[in-house]
Amino acid sequence: MDRQRSWWQTYKYLLLRRISQIGILLLFLLSPWIAQQTGVWVMKGNLASSLTLGMLPLTDPYVLMQSILAGQWPVSTAFIGAAIVLVFYLLVGGRVYCSWACPINMVTDAAAWLRTRLNIKGGAHLGRETRYWILGFTLLLALLTGTIAWELVNPVSMVFRGLVFGIGLGWGVILAVFLLDLLVRRHAWCGSLCPVGAFYSLLGEGSLLRVSAYQRAQCDDCMDCFKVCPEPQVIKLPLKGETKGVGPVITSGQCTNCGRCIDVCAKDVFRFDVRMHNATHNVLAKEVKEVVS
Amino acid sequence: MDTARRQFLLSTLKTASAVGLGALVLGLYSRQSRALPAPALRPPGALAEDDFLGACVRCGLCVRDCPYDTLKLAKVGEAVALGTPYFTARDIPCEMCEDIPCVKACPTGALDHNLTDINQSRMGLAVVIDQEGCIAFQGLRCEVCYNVCPVRSKAITLEKQHNERTGKHAFFIPVVHSSDCTGCGKCEEACIVDGEAAIKVVPLTLAKAGGSAHYRFGWKEKAREGKSLVAPDTEHQYNLPEGMRYDYEGKGLIIDPQPQEGLPVGDVPADALESLNRKGAP
Ligand code: SF4
Ligand code: SF4
Ligand code: SF4
Ligand code: SF4
């Protein structure tokens, strides 16, 4: 048996992610009040477009793209904001948006957890590629209708904006996504349907920071990572593909960089790494193997 | 074609058509939600509604920078396109900030940054929509809308009219002029009647008539040209029967009293029957 892993080691990234998700939400939510007290606006707006500390503009490139397809040419602030966001996610991983910022992720994670606890099986089949079709159609709709049609129903912005600006009947949307993920399919929303996640997964295909199964040689097939991962298909090859000449880095943009696999793996197989460290025969892993044996 | 390939194509087709169907429904819904309900007004500088719905990313930065909490983002279940900013004049009107912070805050230009003079904004147009409800039309001196208007005595003027009921008073009728009204809604907020205001700001597209290009207003054409456009005014010749005249000064057609045979010329006698009897008498 390896050394005992502490509670912190097992929940580190989960905890950090929740702090990040709730923190972002709270910053947007409390900023008006903070501004009233101190005159300083920490964060203004929402995930679609925001202004941090009165100087850093951020804009969601996906919504901006829809606006351009709808035939509008935004002013430069939006472009600067979108460029900053693009660079950021190209560095840290596209779907970091999903696992570190998106409020829906907490809902879907909760549903997945409960689904496992209640041992709910079955439901409808939803292909994971469906989200790319939806992504394509949202762009097409913007082009055809001349409006950002997707924003009329987008649960992601609906919930975040709702929590910051007043939610109305938006609670119903949270409930709907929760029930979908609980009853129809595990991670049905984020894993199969959400075009926002699909968009950021495309960014992730080229992003620098990735999870790597750098000590894959130590894997004892407990399957814990597969069970906890919202996109388990991305783990298979990097973890098991050494004989096929596949490197240990999880290169698929569908990986959300949530780090849960790092958390749960008792053998410390995973860690955050950069895309380039993808040689099939990881020197480090070998060394460790030697040390262990 | 092998089975696996066929399976793959089939499932792809299924997914594509299911998503396509959803997109179609959303597309139809987006057409419907294009109509902005009349009581909802867009912030100053907002592009025309069709463009606005393509340009606004629903970030709420305009909402945050409005010092009067005028603007709101449409919530789920409201009739305004989800997440877009609007205001309801009767609740909180636009105070027409001179520096227009909402427009400056907009990162996309959905609120047009070319708008630098708030007096040039056109959020809608005020209309005295219920003349029966407006107390000025009943002859009372109200003038509240006239006085609160930030474009005072230009956007709203008071037009005097004779009050026939009393015979000696004047109506002071509020009249809105689209040349100056910004649609801020201060008048609608202030209107003293209970509940709905008698003067309301409605979207320009609703408030303005389509125009009357086929019609020429003679007096305006004349003023512009400096002379009459038709042949110089000549005295109109009426071919009237004898004993009738036409008065050009305004009295119109005049029938002169005609002397009739057997009838006394002059006033009708007090006893008309008597004179008739006399005529028939031998
Ligand atoms: S592979 Fe790991 S980091 Fe990526 S989504 Fe799965 S659990 Fe999260
Ligand atoms: S002009 Fe001023 S009061 Fe009017 S909507 Fe903009 S910020 Fe608000
Ligand atoms: S600031 Fe501009 S883009 Fe943002 S909600 Fe207001 S109008 Fe829309
Ligand atoms: S909306 Fe009313 S108060 Fe505002 S400019 Fe027009 S007439 Fe004046």
Side-chain angles (χ1 to χ4, degrees), chain A residues 210-232:
Chain A
R210 301 275 72 195
V211 169
S212 168
Y214 79 122
Q215 303 203 82
R216 54 186 174 186
Q218 299 196 33
C219 172
D220 62 0
D221 292 318
C222 71
M223 302 300 277
D224 279 354
C225 57
F226 285 96
K227 271 181 243 152
V228 83
C229 178
E231 306 274 348

Side-chain angles (χ1 to χ4, degrees), chain A residues 171-222:
Chain A
W171 290 110
V173 181
I174 300 182
L175 189 70
V177 171
F178 182 81
L179 292 178
L180 175 80
D181 275 25
L182 181 69
L183 304 175
V184 177
R185 188 165 193 264
R186 185 171 181 272
H187 286 295
W189 174 256
C190 302
S192 297
L193 300 177
C194 179
V196 185
F199 175 84
Y200 281 100
S201 85
L202 295 180
L203 282 188
E205 293 293 338
S207 63
L208 187 66
L209 187 72
R210 301 275 72 195
V211 169
S212 168
Y214 79 122
Q215 303 203 82
R216 54 186 174 186
Q218 299 196 33
C219 172
D220 62 0
D221 292 318
C222 71

Side-chain angles (χ1 to χ4, degrees), chain A residues 44 46 67 72 75 78 145 148, chain B residues 34 51 53-54 58 65 107-108:
Chain A
K44 207 188 280 185
N46 59 39
S67 179
Q72 301 297 328
V75 297
T145 65
I148 307 179
Chain B
R34 208 173 271 215
D51 290 327
L53 290 178
R58 297 120 214 254
D65 274 9
T108 62

Side-chain angles (χ1 to χ4, degrees), chain B residues 96 125-126 145 148-151 155-156 176 180-188 199 201:
Chain B
M96 286 177 60
L125 179 64
C145 55
V148 297
C149 177
V151 204
I156 302 184
V176 183
D180 290 280
C181 171
T182 62
C184 70
K186 289 287 286 177
C187 52
E188 179 173 341
I199 186 167
V201 179

Side-chain angles (χ1 to χ4, degrees), chain A residues 89-289:
Chain A
Y89 284 118
L90 278 174
L91 287 176
V92 301
R95 290 197 74 197
V96 160
Y97 178 94
C98 301
S99 56
W100 294 76
C102 177
I104 289 277
N105 176 265
M106 290 184 270
V107 179
T108 55
D109 274 358
W113 175 82
L114 194 65
R115 190 177 159 95
T116 315
R117 284 298 292 263
L118 299 179
N119 202 15
I120 299 173
K121 291 260 147 59
H125 172 77
L126 275 170
R128 287 192 180 269
E129 71 293 344
T130 314
R131 50 186 152 183
Y132 298 107
W133 283 98
I134 297 181
L135 173 62
F137 273 104
T138 59
L139 299 179
L140 188 68
L141 267 183
L143 190 73
L144 292 180
T145 65
T147 69
I148 307 179
W150 170 245
E151 278 306 307
L152 292 173
V153 292
N154 181 2
V156 178
S157 56
M158 210 185 283
V159 167
F160 196 91
R161 190 176 50 234
L163 292 172
V164 176
F165 284 91
I167 196 150
L169 303 176
W171 290 110
V173 181
I174 300 182
L175 189 70
V177 171
F178 182 81
L179 292 178
L180 175 80
D181 275 25
L182 181 69
L183 304 175
V184 177
R185 188 165 193 264
R186 185 171 181 272
H187 286 295
W189 174 256
C190 302
S192 297
L193 300 177
C194 179
V196 185
F199 175 84
Y200 281 100
S201 85
L202 295 180
L203 282 188
E205 293 293 338
S207 63
L208 187 66
L209 187 72
R210 301 275 72 195
V211 169
S212 168
Y214 79 122
Q215 303 203 82
R216 54 186 174 186
Q218 299 196 33
C219 172
D220 62 0
D221 292 318
C222 71
M223 302 300 277
D224 279 354
C225 57
F226 285 96
K227 271 181 243 152
V228 83
C229 178
E231 306 274 348
Q233 75 283 1
V234 305
I235 301 181
K236 198 174 154 197
L237 274 180
L239 185 63
K240 296 290 159 201
E242 185 158 12
T243 50
K244 288 185 199 146
V246 181
V249 171
I250 298 177
T251 50
S252 166
Q254 291 175 356
C255 165
T256 68
N257 274 10
C258 69
R260 273 306 274 156
C261 49
I262 307 178
D263 277 348
V264 299
C265 180
K267 299 286 176 193
D268 290 329
V269 165
F270 301 94
R271 72 165 181 194
F272 278 115
D273 208 334
V274 291
R275 175 176 294 275
M276 286 69 93
H277 285 177
N278 203 16
T280 312
H281 297 290
N282 196 309
V283 189
L284 226 161
K286 257 187 187 161
E287 279 170 12
V288 171
K289 211 173 173 182

